[in-house]
Amino acid sequence: MNLKELSELLGLSQTTVSRAINGYPEVSEATRLKVQETARAHNYSPNARAKSLATGRAHAIGHVIPISDQHEMMNPVFGEFISGVGQVYAREGYDLCMSVVTADDELNTYRKLHARKSVDGVVLHAPLKEDPRIELLQELKIPFVVHGRTSNSAQNYAWLDVNSFSAFSRATELLLDLGHTRIALVNGIETMDFAHRRREGYEVALKDRGIPVDLDIVRSDEMTESHGYESAKELLALENRPSAFLSASMICAAGIKRAIEEAGFEIGKDISIVTFDDDLSFMVSNEDTPVFTAFRSNVREAGAIVAEMLLRQIAAPDAALETKLLEAELIIGRSTGPFNG
């Protein structure tokens, strides 16, 4: 069924039907509902090109993904986030436009998206402490929301972030309360803003208890299982080994766990681990007590919130830019216990 046939069926002009489907405010609510219900009943879907011409919008959101050996994007957490944004886009009639590019071509890709008018807005991923992408998007006047935020920027922009500083400060305090003072940090790449904030939370909590930060038991790299394993293996071989580990991700924690068990130690008794755990839908545990003590955030829910924030910004470009800081939830598992010497 095309627009003309749908209009004839409803006894309305094609202009009225088009405006009702696309949510124009001058169409009454009763007419809009009638048109949309009839369109659904007859499996009518507006032509994307015609819809773009009628509204002046692409009805697409851009996600630019750089491929780099020093980037932490292409992992299961990213897929879960995309599931969250994708559900909102589909519900609101938007397409997801993903551009996979080299790291060197990322800025130019945003310029191309703007020049071609192929997206109505973008989501900026994995912000750095100082991020040139934010200034560029502001110059191009492209609506955008940052998943995360930057530490060294006074610019006004929309963002959603999990409070990494608070989570790692609280995690360190939890281990200190259990009697641990040699607490190793296995972190992500610290040019990434979230990893920088996690390091700050860890250091502040130690200093508040009068414990000096020992850089010999701090490691940072891409958050992989091998990073966790190699870091823990090296640190456990020290004469003054750590009695506890803070891990930047569940993926790293799996590697730390492997190294601890290979060294003949028991997790939660000899060595404790606290990790940051993105709540992934495909890794649901039915155990009453999970393996790892973790500060957990729901990354799919974060994706949905980011998408809704961006679509509101597109619909009302003069409105105040939104920011949202989420707190991680502490889940006590079997990987922590009192210091036993």
Side-chain angles (χ1 to χ4, degrees):
M1 174 174 283
N2 59 32
L3 179 61
K4 181 180 178 182
E5 291 169 335
L6 180 62
S7 301
E8 290 174 350
L9 178 64
L10 287 160
L12 298 169
S13 70
Q14 292 184 43
T15 300
T16 298
V17 172
S18 177
R19 288 178 177 275
I21 288 172
N22 291 309
Y24 280 79
E26 59 265 33
V27 179
S28 71
E29 182 69 9
T31 298
R32 185 181 66 81
L33 291 174
K34 179 182 177 182
V35 170
Q36 292 182 346
E37 288 171 4
T38 305
R40 281 195 296 269
H42 291 81
N43 296 316
Y44 170 77
S45 179
N47 178 274
R49 178 62 177 164
K51 186 175 181 181
S52 176
L53 290 171
T55 63
R57 291 181 182 169
H59 289 274
I61 302 299
H63 292 253
V64 179
I65 312 304
I67 298 300
S68 168
D69 61 0
Q70 286 293 298
H71 213 286
E72 304 179 345
M73 292 291 301
M74 303 309 288
N75 59 40
V77 173
F78 176 70
E80 194 80 353
F81 181 84
I82 288 296
S83 295
V85 297
Q87 288 176 348
V88 175
Y89 298 159
R91 184 188 74 209
E92 301 299 330
Y94 279 77
D95 293 328
L96 191 158
C97 176
M98 188 176 296
S99 301
V100 180
V101 302
T102 63
D104 292 339
D105 198 39
E106 186 177 3
L107 293 178
N108 195 42
T109 300
Y110 289 114
R111 295 186 184 98
K112 290 177 182 177
L113 290 173
H114 173 65
R116 295 169 182 168
K117 300 186 185 304
S118 51
V119 298
D120 298 316
V122 300
V123 173
L124 193 154
H125 297 274
L128 307 173
K129 287 192 293 182
E130 297 184 20
D131 203 312
R133 295 173 297 175
I134 291 175
E135 184 176 356
L136 174 63
L137 291 172
Q138 290 175 328
E139 289 175 359
L140 296 174
K141 294 183 168 50
I142 300 176
F144 70 96
V145 175
V146 180
H147 182 211
R149 54 191 163 136
T150 60
S151 296
N152 300 337
S153 174
Q155 294 165 310
N156 183 32
Y157 59 91
W159 55 264
L160 174 140
D161 197 12
V162 175
N163 195 339
S164 289
F165 176 91
S166 172
F168 273 64
S169 175
R170 291 158 62 199
T172 306
E173 289 169 354
L174 170 66
L175 291 168
L176 291 169
D177 289 343
L178 289 169
H180 299 279
T181 55
R182 291 284 289 169
I183 302 170
L185 172 65
V186 180
N187 202 7
I189 299 171
E190 292 182 353
T191 54
M192 297 286 184
D193 189 79
F194 75 88
H196 168 69
R197 292 180 189 273
R198 291 175 183 182
R199 169 80 167 265
E200 280 192 329
Y202 161 79
E203 292 185 348
V204 167
L206 289 175
K207 290 174 182 176
D208 285 349
R209 298 287 186 95
I211 297 172
V213 176
D214 185 352
L215 296 181
D216 289 339
I217 57 173
V218 174
R219 299 289 184 276
S220 66
D221 205 336
E222 193 165 357
M223 295 190 299
T224 61
E225 194 272 353
S226 61
H227 169 44
Y229 173 75
E230 295 296 339
S231 296
K233 184 177 180 180
E234 180 183 342
L235 293 172
L236 290 170
L238 295 175
E239 182 177 351
N240 187 17
R241 63 169 174 80
S243 65
F245 286 83
L246 274 182
S247 171
S249 78
M250 185 64 77
I251 298 171
C252 289
I256 295 170
K257 178 176 181 292
R258 178 160 68 99
I260 291 171
E261 291 172 343
E262 281 187 5
F265 297 115
E266 184 178 342
I267 293 171
K269 181 180 178 182
D270 302 311
I271 309 286
S272 289
I273 306 174
V274 180
T275 186
F276 192 90
D277 175 20
D278 291 289
D279 189 6
L280 305 178
S281 62
F282 50 84
M283 291 183 65
V284 175
S285 173
N286 294 321
E287 297 179 274
D288 291 335
T289 305
V291 172
F292 289 104
T293 294
F295 282 86
R296 178 175 295 174
S297 70
N298 189 317
V299 69
R300 178 174 290 200
E301 179 182 329
I305 296 170
V306 164
E308 290 166 350
M309 289 171 64
L310 181 54
L311 295 183
R312 284 194 294 269
Q313 186 183 149
I314 292 167
D318 295 328
L321 294 172
E322 298 181 61
T323 62
K324 191 172 185 64
L325 184 62
L326 305 177
E327 293 292 340
E329 177 187 11
L330 173 61
I331 307 294
I332 299 295
R334 301 194 301 273
S335 67
T336 47
F339 174 70
N340 69 358

